[in-house]
Every structure is written in C-alpha cells, then in structure tokens.
Amino acid sequence: MKIILLGGPGAGKGTQAKLLKEHYNVPHISTGDILRANIKQNTELGIEAKNYIDQGLLVPDELVVHLIENRITEDDCKKGYILDGFPRTIPQAEALDKVLESINDQIDIVLNIEVSDDSIVKRMSGRRACLKCGATYHIDNNPPKVEGICDVCGTELVLRDDDKPETVANRLRVYHEETKPLIDYYTNKNMLVTIDGSRPIDDVTHDIISSIERGLN
Ligand code: AP5
Ligand code: MG
C-alpha cells in the first residue's frame, strides 16, 4: 500500500499518517519529521534546512528528493509506505515519478486532506509536537494523556518553532502557490481522492480507509 498524503500545513497529515501506519503496518515517511530530526542533531542537512523551515519556506527540491529517493528504496518500504509532506512541488512529483519508474513501481492513491485556512490557523496555535517520535497532539482536540508529555515515548512536548502565527501565514501562502498545483497534477493522473479534513479525527480516518479500500477494489 503506497499512499501520498497531500494537504495544507496543519491539515492533519501527520495525525492520519500515524493511524494509517498502525492500520496498514507500513512506514510513515514525513519529510518534515526527517528534517526536524536533522535540525535537532545539527547535521549538515539540518543546518541548511533550518533557515527555510523557520521562515515557513520550502527547502530546495534537490535536498528532499535525494532524501526520499534513498528512503523509499530501503527494504522496509517494499510492502508500502505513507508519504506525508512529499511531494510538495511539481518538480518533486516529477522526480518521484522518475524514481518509481526506475524501480518499476507506483503509488496506489493520493489523498488530499482539505481544511479551510481559518481552521488551519486555529489548529496550529494549539498543536503540541514530540520532536523525538513525531507524534502530534492538540491541546483541545487531541490532548496527550499527561499534559505536556508524549503518550508514545514520554518526551516533553513543544510548540514547533514554525507554528508562530506569522510563519503559519507564510506556510499557507507557500502551500497555495507551490503545493496546491499537485491537486491538478494527480487529478489528471486519476490518482486523487479528496477527504473532508474538517471532521473529527476518527471520522477522517474512517473516510480515508474507505477511500483506500474502494480504490483498491
Ligand atoms: P511539515 O512538517 O510537513 O509541515 P506541514 O506540511 O506544514 O504540515 P504540518 O506537519 O504542520 O501539519 P499536518 O498536516 O501534519 O497536521 P497535524 O497532523 O500535525 O513541514 C515543515 C516544513 O519542512 C515545511 O514548512 C518546509 O519548510 C519543510 N519541508 C517538509 N517537507 C518538504 C518538502 N517535501 N519540500 C520542501 N520543504 C519541505 O495536525 C495539526 C494539528 O491539528 C494538530 O494539533 C492535530 O492534533 C490537530 N488535528 C489534526 N486533525 C484534526 C481534526 N480532524 N480535527 C481537529 N484537530 C485536528
Ligand atoms: Mg506533519
């Protein structure tokens, strides 16, 4: 099962990817999580990516394409994977097509999680993230069992640096300009299903799984 999750910042890609990972038992590959882990470890990639991420801009295509190319050709991806936050530009989608073609593989379905810009702004201010395992919470909609602590790994939760209101506005602008064209790209390939991401988390998961099952039969 090879899935792409599309959607604006805060649409719920990470939240749904974590649940789908359990359901389908395939790796969850989030370029955002990988880049944040690199920033935390102060790697060369992390140092380069941090400037872009902190401003709400996309990191250059070649950096993420290289990263994904290496990741999806690893052994644990043979049975499938969930791509969260990649591709995010037309050149990234074209590069992914090329990689898949070279290994004679393809994506099964592209799920576009749709949420209004207003709801996104509200979600971001209440989000708390675990920078260790990538789990995401919301202080009202999806709180951790113990306030401020990750349910999965016990790490202290933080407000992501790029969730400041001015950075969120930039991320939304970048989403509309650079990522939204992917909706047409995958619609034209007959691969895209749009999901109403404004519903409660479990309802969104249910809609996603139904779409996947329908798409496969
Ligand atoms: P990334 O980490 O991918 O950020 P993003 O796309 O902006 O998305 P988010 O992670 O902010 O949101 P999400 O959709 O995962 O929502 P979540 O589930 O957390 O990327 C960060 C940065 O890295 C980018 O800005 C860029 O600089 C760089 N980058 C990454 N990939 C790149 C690429 N391919 N190319 C170039 N640059 C790249 O949910 C949000 C909140 O809402 C949470 O609090 C959650 O609990 C809550 N919530 C979720 N679902 C619901 C619901 N149904 N109802 C109510 N609340 C909900
Ligand atoms: Mg995310």
Side-chain angles (χ1 to χ4, degrees):
M1 174 55 57
K2 294 173 182 119
I3 304 169
I4 291 176
L5 292 180
L6 274 187
K13 303 182 294 296
T15 302
Q16 295 301 329
K18 289 264 176 299
L19 299 167
L20 294 173
K21 170 189 164 161
E22 300 303 320
H23 189 87
Y24 290 109
N25 194 24
V26 291
H28 164 206
I29 304 173
S30 155
T31 36
D33 286 352
I34 297 172
L35 292 170
R36 279 186 290 279
N38 274 273
I39 292 175
K40 212 171 161 211
Q41 290 157 17
N42 235 352
T43 66
E44 212 174 299
L45 171 64
I47 292 165
E48 190 165 357
K50 186 171 171 24
N51 279 328
Y52 297 97
I53 293 183
D54 284 354
Q55 293 177 65
L57 302 174
L58 297 181
V59 308
D61 287 337
E62 58 273 19
L63 293 183
V64 280
V65 166
H66 187 63
L67 197 153
I68 286 294
E69 190 172 356
N70 288 336
R71 183 66 188 89
I72 63 172
T73 46
E74 281 178 33
D75 272 356
D76 65 334
C77 287
K78 284 206 175 101
K79 57 185 175 180
Y81 45 79
I82 302 158
L83 287 180
D84 157 10
F86 181 93
R88 245 179 158 96
T89 63
I90 298 280
Q92 289 181 20
E94 289 170 346
L96 176 64
D97 285 347
K98 262 199 193 142
V99 175
L100 290 171
E101 210 182 295
S102 73
I103 54 174
N104 205 9
D105 206 349
Q106 58 188 24
I107 297 293
D108 296 299
I109 193 165
V110 179
L111 295 152
N112 172 38
I113 306 181
E114 211 169 47
V115 178
S116 72
D117 286 6
D118 285 352
S119 312
I120 283 176
V121 170
K122 279 188 202 126
R123 282 186 187 182
M124 301 303 229
S125 59
R127 171 163 61 183
R128 296 296 178 269
C130 174
L131 295 185
K132 187 164 179 218
C133 75
T136 303
Y137 304 86
H138 190 280
I139 49 175
D140 303 317
N141 306 330
N142 182 24
K145 291 191 184 91
V146 179
E147 196 184 320
I149 302 293
C150 178
D151 292 350
V152 182
C153 69
T155 303
E156 201 172 328
L157 301 173
V158 295
L159 181 71
R160 265 170 45 183
D161 283 344
D162 60 346
D163 280 351
K164 286 177 281 185
E166 62 277 20
T167 315
V168 170
N170 240 351
R171 287 163 66 195
L172 277 168
R173 183 184 54 75
V174 168
Y175 166 71
H176 285 287
E177 284 172 9
E178 302 200 45
T179 307
K180 246 185 151 176
L182 290 176
I183 294 177
D184 281 346
Y185 183 87
Y186 287 115
T187 301
N188 291 337
K189 287 177 177 280
N190 222 353
M191 292 167 73
L192 188 115
V193 175
T194 292
I195 303 287
D196 178 0
S198 67
R199 288 153 41 84
I201 293 172
D202 289 347
D203 293 357
V204 176
T205 311
H206 179 267
D207 288 354
I208 288 180
I209 291 174
S210 307
S211 295
I212 292 172
E213 305 299 328
R214 263 202 312 275
L216 284 180
N217 292 319

